[in-house]
Amino acid sequence: MDRLQAMTTFVRVVESGSFSAAARLMHIGQPAVSKAVAQLERQLGVQLLLRSAHGLTPTDAGQRYFERVARIVSDTEEADAAARDSTVGLQGRLRVAVPTTFGRIQVVPRLGQFLKDHPRLDVDVELDDRRVDLVAEGIDVAIRLGPLHDSTMIARRLGRGRRSVIATPRYLKTFPSLETPEDLRLHQAVTYTRDSAAKYTFRQSGDEVTVSLKPRLHLSAAEGIRAAVCADLGLTIAADWMFEPELKNGTVVRCLTLWALPPIDLWIVYPSGRLTSAKARAFSGFIATVVAQLETV
């Protein structure tokens, strides 16, 4: 078994969780799978897998090796398919990273058509609010919201989302009416922990007003902010897509609608230092259609 075959076998073992499962996927015997992994470990001089009664797990070295070679294996399979027959379509594994709330509300419910269009493609979706390291974690493509702080990534802005002051009607009944942005100082706010000192600029017919919210509750994730606002704990400033279901059914409403806030940018980003794969480009096109639908909401 050559080096690429051994790498492919190792990737299948990690993905499936066992030698026997990898053997079934590859249509080879289990001894051949075990031999391939052992060969890699001898060549590299490190242990790649920990074997226990609970199954197989990569060592630290094995996880780092997997993240690198999984990309090589995927790209090789894609290149082979393209050379054999361009009509075969995309295949292999695509790893994407998406902010949790955006993914849960806007991406995952729409994935069915993407999967139907690419039946031989497996998709791993990493739902996480942190800024995932694309290279270190083997991510093919990611969605970013707001300003980009990492200039080393390849990025393309897909669109902009409207932001609003959002609260429940029940909360608004217990506080003074909101007529101007200055009235926000009389309200309790729900904010991101990292944005607790943020200032917001509102514009209306050439007028500009900058205010700070009065945070009563700080939360580290969008899901927490959604839950707090829907529980009448305060108002927040957020992208409309973050509360799309609740805005449609009236659970929450927009406030200060005669005033405009700067929109939030939505980006598609790729790891630098390598060509963007056809799989990543296809997912980018899919996300572009999602963003286009958001702008019509």
mmCIF file of all heavy atoms in Angstrom, residues 29 42 48 61 87 93 95 111 116 123 129 134-135 150 179 181 184 192 255 289:
data_model
loop_
_atom_site.group_PDB
_atom_site.id
_atom_site.type_symbol
_atom_site.label_atom_id
_atom_site.label_comp_id
_atom_site.label_asym_id
_atom_site.label_seq_id
_atom_site.Cartn_x
_atom_site.Cartn_y
_atom_site.Cartn_z
ATOM 1 N N GLY A 29 -10.176 -5.699 3.638
ATOM 2 C CA GLY A 29 -10.192 -6.432 4.892
ATOM 3 C C GLY A 29 -9.683 -5.583 6.049
ATOM 4 O O GLY A 29 -8.859 -4.683 5.867
ATOM 5 N N ARG A 42 4.950 3.815 11.940
ATOM 6 C CA ARG A 42 6.384 3.498 11.858
ATOM 7 C C ARG A 42 7.120 4.554 11.046
ATOM 8 O O ARG A 42 8.211 5.007 11.428
ATOM 9 C CB ARG A 42 6.585 2.117 11.229
ATOM 10 C CG ARG A 42 6.239 0.953 12.143
ATOM 11 C CD ARG A 42 6.815 -0.354 11.586
ATOM 12 N NE ARG A 42 6.322 -0.623 10.229
ATOM 13 C CZ ARG A 42 5.208 -1.283 9.967
ATOM 14 N NH1 ARG A 42 4.439 -1.729 10.964
ATOM 15 N NH2 ARG A 42 4.834 -1.515 8.719
ATOM 16 N N LEU A 48 -0.376 7.431 16.319
ATOM 17 C CA LEU A 48 -1.456 8.245 15.760
ATOM 18 C C LEU A 48 -2.804 7.970 16.416
ATOM 19 O O LEU A 48 -3.653 8.862 16.479
ATOM 20 C CB LEU A 48 -1.582 7.984 14.251
ATOM 21 C CG LEU A 48 -0.376 8.363 13.396
ATOM 22 C CD1 LEU A 48 -0.593 7.922 11.954
ATOM 23 C CD2 LEU A 48 -0.111 9.864 13.472
ATOM 24 N N ALA A 61 -0.847 14.098 18.275
ATOM 25 C CA ALA A 61 -0.131 14.069 16.992
ATOM 26 C C ALA A 61 -1.034 13.534 15.886
ATOM 27 O O ALA A 61 -1.026 14.029 14.751
ATOM 28 C CB ALA A 61 1.123 13.207 17.118
ATOM 29 N N THR A 87 -18.926 15.045 -15.096
ATOM 30 C CA THR A 87 -20.339 14.962 -14.736
ATOM 31 C C THR A 87 -20.557 14.217 -13.422
ATOM 32 O O THR A 87 -21.686 14.154 -12.942
ATOM 33 C CB THR A 87 -21.132 14.245 -15.845
ATOM 34 O OG1 THR A 87 -20.698 12.876 -15.936
ATOM 35 C CG2 THR A 87 -20.939 14.917 -17.191
ATOM 36 N N ARG A 93 -15.630 15.082 1.414
ATOM 37 C CA ARG A 93 -16.094 15.729 2.640
ATOM 38 C C ARG A 93 -15.798 17.225 2.594
ATOM 39 O O ARG A 93 -14.703 17.645 2.218
ATOM 40 C CB ARG A 93 -15.411 15.105 3.866
ATOM 41 C CG ARG A 93 -15.954 15.591 5.207
ATOM 42 C CD ARG A 93 -15.356 14.771 6.333
ATOM 43 N NE ARG A 93 -15.711 13.357 6.197
ATOM 44 C CZ ARG A 93 -16.840 12.835 6.662
ATOM 45 N NH1 ARG A 93 -17.724 13.591 7.291
ATOM 46 N NH2 ARG A 93 -17.088 11.551 6.507
ATOM 47 N N ARG A 95 -15.878 20.636 5.052
ATOM 48 C CA ARG A 95 -15.976 21.101 6.432
ATOM 49 C C ARG A 95 -16.189 22.612 6.430
ATOM 50 O O ARG A 95 -15.388 23.354 5.870
ATOM 51 C CB ARG A 95 -14.725 20.737 7.230
ATOM 52 C CG ARG A 95 -14.445 19.239 7.289
ATOM 53 C CD ARG A 95 -13.475 18.906 8.410
ATOM 54 N NE ARG A 95 -14.098 19.108 9.703
ATOM 55 C CZ ARG A 95 -13.508 19.705 10.733
ATOM 56 N NH1 ARG A 95 -12.288 20.194 10.606
ATOM 57 N NH2 ARG A 95 -14.137 19.842 11.890
ATOM 58 N N LEU A 111 -30.243 23.533 4.080
ATOM 59 C CA LEU A 111 -29.191 22.650 3.563
ATOM 60 C C LEU A 111 -29.734 21.523 2.694
ATOM 61 O O LEU A 111 -28.982 20.919 1.932
ATOM 62 C CB LEU A 111 -28.391 22.045 4.722
ATOM 63 C CG LEU A 111 -27.139 22.795 5.167
ATOM 64 C CD1 LEU A 111 -26.525 22.097 6.380
ATOM 65 C CD2 LEU A 111 -26.121 22.905 4.041
ATOM 66 N N LYS A 116 -29.104 17.740 -1.753
ATOM 67 C CA LYS A 116 -29.758 17.081 -2.885
ATOM 68 C C LYS A 116 -28.995 17.339 -4.181
ATOM 69 O O LYS A 116 -28.849 16.440 -5.022
ATOM 70 C CB LYS A 116 -31.197 17.590 -3.012
ATOM 71 C CG LYS A 116 -31.989 16.934 -4.125
ATOM 72 C CD LYS A 116 -33.418 17.465 -4.164
ATOM 73 C CE LYS A 116 -34.227 16.827 -5.286
ATOM 74 N NZ LYS A 116 -35.615 17.370 -5.325
ATOM 75 N N VAL A 123 -21.094 16.702 4.357
ATOM 76 C CA VAL A 123 -20.843 18.043 4.894
ATOM 77 C C VAL A 123 -20.756 17.993 6.416
ATOM 78 O O VAL A 123 -21.664 17.475 7.081
ATOM 79 C CB VAL A 123 -21.959 19.024 4.468
ATOM 80 C CG1 VAL A 123 -21.671 20.431 5.001
ATOM 81 C CG2 VAL A 123 -22.097 19.055 2.950
ATOM 82 N N ASP A 129 -19.580 30.106 17.871
ATOM 83 C CA ASP A 129 -19.516 31.562 17.857
ATOM 84 C C ASP A 129 -18.080 32.098 17.889
ATOM 85 O O ASP A 129 -17.860 33.272 17.623
ATOM 86 C CB ASP A 129 -20.290 32.149 19.045
ATOM 87 C CG ASP A 129 -21.794 32.052 18.866
ATOM 88 O OD1 ASP A 129 -22.239 31.978 17.704
ATOM 89 O OD2 ASP A 129 -22.519 32.041 19.866
ATOM 90 N N LEU A 134 -9.159 28.384 10.647
ATOM 91 C CA LEU A 134 -9.503 27.543 9.508
ATOM 92 C C LEU A 134 -8.407 26.533 9.179
ATOM 93 O O LEU A 134 -8.698 25.377 8.868
ATOM 94 C CB LEU A 134 -9.784 28.416 8.281
ATOM 95 C CG LEU A 134 -10.838 29.521 8.436
ATOM 96 C CD1 LEU A 134 -11.166 30.130 7.077
ATOM 97 C CD2 LEU A 134 -12.094 28.991 9.092
ATOM 98 N N VAL A 135 -7.162 26.969 9.218
ATOM 99 C CA VAL A 135 -6.053 26.081 8.849
ATOM 100 C C VAL A 135 -5.844 25.020 9.911
ATOM 101 O O VAL A 135 -5.780 23.821 9.613
ATOM 102 C CB VAL A 135 -4.769 26.894 8.620
ATOM 103 C CG1 VAL A 135 -3.581 25.961 8.354
ATOM 104 C CG2 VAL A 135 -4.944 27.870 7.458
ATOM 105 N N ASP A 150 -8.801 39.368 10.698
ATOM 106 C CA ASP A 150 -7.691 38.550 10.223
ATOM 107 C C ASP A 150 -7.475 38.828 8.734
ATOM 108 O O ASP A 150 -8.241 38.370 7.887
ATOM 109 C CB ASP A 150 -7.982 37.067 10.450
ATOM 110 C CG ASP A 150 -6.782 36.179 10.149
ATOM 111 O OD1 ASP A 150 -5.809 36.695 9.556
ATOM 112 O OD2 ASP A 150 -6.823 34.990 10.497
ATOM 113 N N GLU A 179 -38.984 57.033 21.510
ATOM 114 C CA GLU A 179 -39.233 57.983 20.433
ATOM 115 C C GLU A 179 -37.951 58.362 19.710
ATOM 116 O O GLU A 179 -37.942 58.550 18.491
ATOM 117 C CB GLU A 179 -39.904 59.244 20.991
ATOM 118 C CG GLU A 179 -41.202 58.986 21.745
ATOM 119 C CD GLU A 179 -42.320 58.472 20.852
ATOM 120 O OE1 GLU A 179 -42.244 58.697 19.619
ATOM 121 O OE2 GLU A 179 -43.257 57.839 21.378
ATOM 122 N N PRO A 181 -33.317 57.850 19.825
ATOM 123 C CA PRO A 181 -32.258 56.990 20.356
ATOM 124 C C PRO A 181 -31.855 57.337 21.782
ATOM 125 O O PRO A 181 -31.456 56.447 22.553
ATOM 126 C CB PRO A 181 -31.099 57.228 19.372
ATOM 127 C CG PRO A 181 -31.770 57.565 18.084
ATOM 128 C CD PRO A 181 -32.965 58.382 18.491
ATOM 129 N N LEU A 184 -33.081 55.288 24.753
ATOM 130 C CA LEU A 184 -32.512 53.983 25.105
ATOM 131 C C LEU A 184 -31.831 54.011 26.467
ATOM 132 O O LEU A 184 -31.713 52.977 27.128
ATOM 133 C CB LEU A 184 -31.496 53.548 24.037
ATOM 134 C CG LEU A 184 -32.089 53.124 22.686
ATOM 135 C CD1 LEU A 184 -30.988 53.007 21.633
ATOM 136 C CD2 LEU A 184 -32.839 51.807 22.817
ATOM 137 N N TYR A 192 -23.899 41.561 24.182
ATOM 138 C CA TYR A 192 -22.767 40.638 24.191
ATOM 139 C C TYR A 192 -21.765 41.097 25.240
ATOM 140 O O TYR A 192 -21.563 42.303 25.430
ATOM 141 C CB TYR A 192 -22.057 40.626 22.835
ATOM 142 C CG TYR A 192 -22.762 39.855 21.755
ATOM 143 C CD1 TYR A 192 -23.450 40.522 20.741
ATOM 144 C CD2 TYR A 192 -22.729 38.466 21.730
ATOM 145 C CE1 TYR A 192 -24.089 39.819 19.734
ATOM 146 C CE2 TYR A 192 -23.361 37.748 20.730
ATOM 147 C CZ TYR A 192 -24.045 38.437 19.736
ATOM 148 O OH TYR A 192 -24.678 37.738 18.753
ATOM 149 N N CYS A 255 -37.909 48.460 17.111
ATOM 150 C CA CYS A 255 -38.166 49.755 17.725
ATOM 151 C C CYS A 255 -37.360 50.829 16.990
ATOM 152 O O CYS A 255 -36.379 50.520 16.303
ATOM 153 C CB CYS A 255 -37.762 49.754 19.200
ATOM 154 S SG CYS A 255 -38.433 48.371 20.148
ATOM 155 N N THR A 289 -27.028 32.607 -1.978
ATOM 156 C CA THR A 289 -28.487 32.576 -2.167
ATOM 157 C C THR A 289 -29.209 32.754 -0.839
ATOM 158 O O THR A 289 -30.275 33.376 -0.781
ATOM 159 C CB THR A 289 -28.931 31.253 -2.825
ATOM 160 O OG1 THR A 289 -28.635 30.146 -1.956
ATOM 161 C CG2 THR A 289 -28.237 31.043 -4.149
#
